[in-house]
Amino acid sequence: MSAVIDPQPAAPTEPPVSSDGGRRRLIAMSLWSVAFVAGWLGIGLPTDPIYAFVWIWAGTVAWNSARPWRSHLRFARDWVPVVLLLVLYNLSRGFAYHDGTVPHAYELIVADRLMFGWATDGQVPTVWLQQHFYQPEVRWWDVLASWVYFSHFVAALAAAAVLWMRERSRWAAFMRRWFFLCATGLVTYFLYPAAPPWWAAQNGLLEEVARISTRGWKAFGMHGAGNLLNAGQLAANPVAAMPSLHTAFALFVVLFFLRNVRRRWWPLLLSYPLAMTFTLVYSGEHYVIDVLVGWAYVGVAFLVVGLAERWWARRRPRRPGHPQATTPLPQQDAPAAPPALPTPR
């Protein structure tokens, strides 16, 4: 005989917040917000992985300030490997470029002209957009573009932090797909170094293209807001345009949560990767072909990791010692009753 036990629903990872805990959370989050703005104006936006992790960890501590310190230390334990991998990823991008590297540029220009030249008078979309929208003074779309560009550095990490607090199994699934996407992009940078539009313009392959992804913050007098980002742009690999992981990350985060959101909100969520696409093409950071290849990499990440997870789920029950690995015994007929003994006289 074999018994089938229904799986119990996962217990919530976060206890209900009492009225006193809610007041404590409000105070802690207010202090965190003030400290974040001060650090942003004094040091710069958190675009470095370690710097961003510190602020995200502090935010989780403030949000769950009533929980014991063991919970906060567990967050650091789970996230240290993530941060180290992101640091190695940023460093390895620089290794893909050296003085002797001859980047691909001409074929990207040709691809964008073939796709959009009929609507842009034969220009690549970057040149056409800057001719029509770029002005010496900062406009409102420059401000919006700068904030959209900055969101690339924190959106995926913030979404992962929320998943960790709510459902750690989904956090692990998110991380598996995200790291696969980063790894495939990094391999492509080594195999196919590609130059962005601003680099092609500096080397005479395009008309004048300005790199304007961070100019929008100047409209508010926040000249130091992008110090870390500007320094990171100077130190980063200048020929890592294919694929565009900026748009890939934006689409990845949206697709991961899309099935859990009502369809009436889908247009709003999908507008985020579209806004990132406009920002990168307009600011001279990427061609449209870079964006399309980045979106294709997102689809490959979901497909490959999803297939691997299903293969692993089918394999696990067959491992020795697993509760589901034991084969139930076949049901046998009930033994016949023993013959009745003669009644003594």
Side-chain angles (χ1 to χ4, degrees), residues 225-245:
N227 287 342
L228 290 178
L229 179 54
N230 293 332
Q233 286 181 334
L234 295 175
N237 180 8
V239 292
M242 173 71 74
S244 170
L245 288 186

Side-chain angles (χ1 to χ4, degrees), residues 91-117:
L91 293 176
S92 59
R93 286 180 57 193
F95 297 151
Y97 174 74
H98 50 82
D99 293 336
T101 302
V102 180
H104 297 268
Y106 180 73
E107 55 266 44
L108 306 181
I109 297 173
V110 171
D112 268 29
R113 283 175 175 170
L114 288 176
M115 289 188 296
F116 303 100

Side-chain angles (χ1 to χ4, degrees), residues 160-236:
V162 173
L163 283 175
W164 188 92
M165 290 189 296
R166 295 182 62 86
E167 190 176 352
R168 195 175 182 278
S169 61
R170 292 199 68 201
W171 172 79
F174 182 95
M175 284 299 175
R176 286 191 291 268
R177 288 158 176 80
W178 190 29
F179 278 123
F180 183 90
L181 179 60
C182 293
T184 53
L186 181 61
V187 171
T188 308
Y189 295 153
F190 278 93
L191 299 179
Y192 190 85
W198 64 264
W199 188 98
Q202 289 181 358
N203 289 270
L205 300 177
L206 281 177
E207 298 181 18
E208 184 178 357
V209 173
R211 194 178 189 184
I212 53 177
S213 54
T214 61
R215 73 190 298 253
W217 296 319
K218 298 178 181 179
F220 296 96
M222 298 182 299
H223 300 282
N227 287 342
L228 290 178
L229 179 54
N230 293 332
Q233 286 181 334
L234 295 175

Side-chain angles (χ1 to χ4, degrees), residues 43-66:
I43 301 175
L45 292 168
T47 57
D48 178 78
I50 298 179
Y51 188 40
F53 165 72
V54 170
W55 281 115
I56 291 175
W57 187 19
T60 61
V61 172
W63 183 261
N64 294 319
S65 56

